[in-house]
Amino acid sequence: MFFPVIFEQQKERVITNQYCKFDSQELTLFGSSLFLSAMVAAFFASPMARAFGRKWTLFVAAVAYIVGAVFGALAANFVVLITGRLLLGVGVGLCIHASPLYISEMAPAQQRGMLNILFQLMITVGILSASLTNYWTSKITGGWGWRVGLAFGTVPAALIALGSLAIPDTPISLIVRGDGEMARATLAKIRGVDDVRAEFEDLTTASEESKAVAHPWRELFFGGKFKPQLTFALLIPFFQQLTGINVIMFYAPVLFKTVGFRQDASLVSSVITGLVNVFSTFVAIMTADKVGRRALFLQGGTQMIISQILVGTFIGLQFGLSGTGAMSEQYAMCIVLFVCVYVAGFAWSWGPMGWLIPSEVYPLAVRSAAQSVTVAVNMFFTAFISQIFLTLLCHLRFGLFYFFGGWVLLMTIFIATLLPETKCVPVEEVSLVWRKHWFWRKFVIDAGDTRGAEMRKRIALEMS
């Protein structure tokens, strides 16, 4: 995440105010290029996934990432470096569009939450790996350690490329593209049974209904039929970034250095938060299909609010409004502790649920388009928050943590009132859940067909 030799012409910028003490070489607009190119790529991912399937979208994503990492690692000038960064963004945008959809469409309903959260687990492993790599490469003399860090990115990308060649496409994607026999065979293989008629008929019905929607983008935004899904496509990724998690994970070394840690200690602290992030995600893996999505959202949100209030209070007591002072060791340890408590709450709520819910609530007709919206909103606000964080820190001071805590309170109320429970509901039948919700049912037109009635009975039995 840090490239201290990229902008050699810049001088170290140190502001005496503790809230604004940072190295501008570590914090530049360079980071936003990846997120913005990922946002653009997400919109191209929708027609690509629809025409060629989730599998090949993942393969193209991996190739783009490999090429981008190589460009960046070998870059001799800024133009080549930024080109590599943009290609990395393309890979990220395509991958985070296709991966959650692939998992949701392949997984059995009773295990969809657990399997989809493995996607978030790999994100946390990647963040931890990046922190460890930063820590190691920062010790390489000569100023070229960042090239090693970029080159390491080719390893997971190569694994994705090879893995995508070995896996089948999803049954619903095969049906949509007219390969019903392959879809039936794939479904039987992944379910481990020969008789898959009921699920195959549900998938075929969903496919036929999707074909009636000739323009999914127009229908999603202007048709009025998918208001609940569009709401969550926009607000879930928006809220996920306003939890403040990227401020913690991107700038953990800067934050800890600001409150008095040495350079090495700040990097070690970011590794600690990375470890907490990884191991806490296992809580979501084990409980998402048992206690449900809503329970994890509400518990994790409450934990995050309390942690942010305490972190802001501890920093405020030490530095006050002036931003001057010294952080005692006891206070510093308390801050690290509650940052870890905050990260743990995110890791089993807004982290995995922020990707799981959007991937499973969309009907097939607009699923790929809506996922593009989710990814684009996520990437846009990731870039936006990363750029305004330092300005907010300098002006809001310790109140920054109250600011994000207020947003977490708002989004927790949003989940409590407007999110229906979707655990154990087959992905092709999730759209029927909206009809039972006290608020969203007024926006959903009940076709009243026999097939829909049969689906609703099955959902009631599986959720009881």
Side-chain angles (χ1 to χ4, degrees), residues 49-67:
R50 193 175 182 89
F52 304 107
R54 321 301 190 208
K55 167 180 176 171
W56 292 109
T57 304
L58 285 170
F59 179 78
V60 173
V63 172
Y65 202 94
I66 291 171
V67 175

Side-chain angles (χ1 to χ4, degrees), residues 220-234:
L220 178 65
F221 282 98
F222 305 110
K225 184 179 179 181
F226 302 110
K227 286 182 179 178
Q229 291 89 342
L230 179 61
T231 299
F232 283 88
L234 293 170

Side-chain angles (χ1 to χ4, degrees), residues 12-14 23 215 264 267 269 299 315 402 408 421:
E12 183 176 293
R13 176 186 173 194
V14 177
D23 184 341
H215 304 285
D264 284 353
L267 285 170
S269 298
Q299 190 283 327
I315 294 177
Y402 299 154
V408 177
E421 184 56 67

Side-chain angles (χ1 to χ4, degrees), residues 18-209:
Q18 286 291 332
Y19 292 116
C20 306
K21 188 177 181 180
F22 57 89
D23 184 341
S24 66
Q25 290 179 315
E26 294 179 337
L27 303 164
T28 67
L29 289 172
F30 177 77
S32 296
S33 59
L34 183 147
F35 302 114
L36 295 178
S37 63
M39 179 181 70
V40 174
F43 289 107
F44 287 97
S46 177
M48 183 184 298
R50 193 175 182 89
F52 304 107
R54 321 301 190 208
K55 167 180 176 171
W56 292 109
T57 304
L58 285 170
F59 179 78
V60 173
V63 172
Y65 202 94
I66 291 171
V67 175
V70 172
F71 265 54
L74 301 178
N77 55 62
F78 180 76
V79 174
V80 177
L81 184 65
I82 202 69
T83 301
R85 187 73 171 173
L86 292 172
L87 286 171
L88 289 174
V90 171
V92 170
L94 295 177
C95 189
I96 62 177
H97 176 280
S99 296
L101 291 185
Y102 184 91
I103 297 169
S104 290
E105 292 176 355
M106 293 290 275
Q110 294 78 10
Q111 299 174 323
R112 186 174 64 248
M114 176 191 70
L115 294 173
N116 207 304
I117 293 170
L118 290 176
F119 170 73
Q120 173 66 15
L121 176 64
M122 292 299 101
I123 292 177
T124 65
V125 171
I127 293 171
L128 175 60
S129 300
S131 296
L132 292 170
T133 302
N134 285 338
Y135 180 71
W136 176 58
T137 57
S138 68
K139 298 182 179 299
I140 298 176
T141 58
W144 51 270
W146 61 274
R147 295 183 184 273
V148 178
L150 276 177
F152 277 159
T154 60
V155 176
L159 292 175
I160 293 174
L162 294 174
S164 64
L165 295 176
I167 58 177
D169 212 339
T170 67
I172 188 63
S173 180
L174 291 168
I175 292 172
V176 169
R177 289 182 286 126
D179 198 345
E181 289 303 315
M182 179 62 73
R184 186 188 293 271
T186 300
L187 189 60
K189 183 177 181 179
I190 62 177
R191 297 293 183 258
V193 296
D194 294 328
D195 187 4
V196 291
R197 285 177 297 176
E199 186 173 359
F200 184 78
E201 289 174 3
D202 286 348
L203 294 175
T204 303
T205 300
S207 175
E208 292 300 321
E209 291 175 351

Side-chain angles (χ1 to χ4, degrees), residues 236-314:
I236 288 288
F238 170 72
F239 282 147
Q240 189 186 56
Q241 297 312 306
L242 282 171
T243 59
I245 187 61
N246 280 334
V247 169
I248 297 295
M249 302 311 293
F250 287 176
Y251 298 113
V254 180
L255 281 174
F256 289 130
K257 188 164 60 175
T258 296
V259 298
F261 283 63
R262 299 187 312 275
Q263 176 68 30
D264 284 353
S266 68
L267 285 170
V268 170
S269 298
S270 69
V271 171
I272 292 172
T273 59
L275 285 169
V276 171
N277 199 14
V278 170
F279 287 108
S280 298
T281 303
F282 283 101
V283 175
I285 291 174
M286 294 184 291
T287 58
D289 293 315
K290 296 179 181 178
V291 304
R293 286 60 160 148
R294 284 169 48 84
L296 289 174
F297 263 129
L298 298 178
Q299 190 283 327
T302 302
Q303 183 171 318
M304 292 162 68
I305 294 167
I306 295 172
S307 300
Q308 285 169 315
I309 291 173
L310 290 174
V311 169
T313 300
F314 285 134

Side-chain angles (χ1 to χ4, degrees), residues 432 436 451-462:
L432 300 170
K436 294 184 177 182
R451 186 74 179 159
E454 292 175 356
M455 288 184 179
R456 286 191 290 275
K457 288 179 182 178
R458 195 184 316 151
I459 290 174
L461 290 173
E462 291 173 345

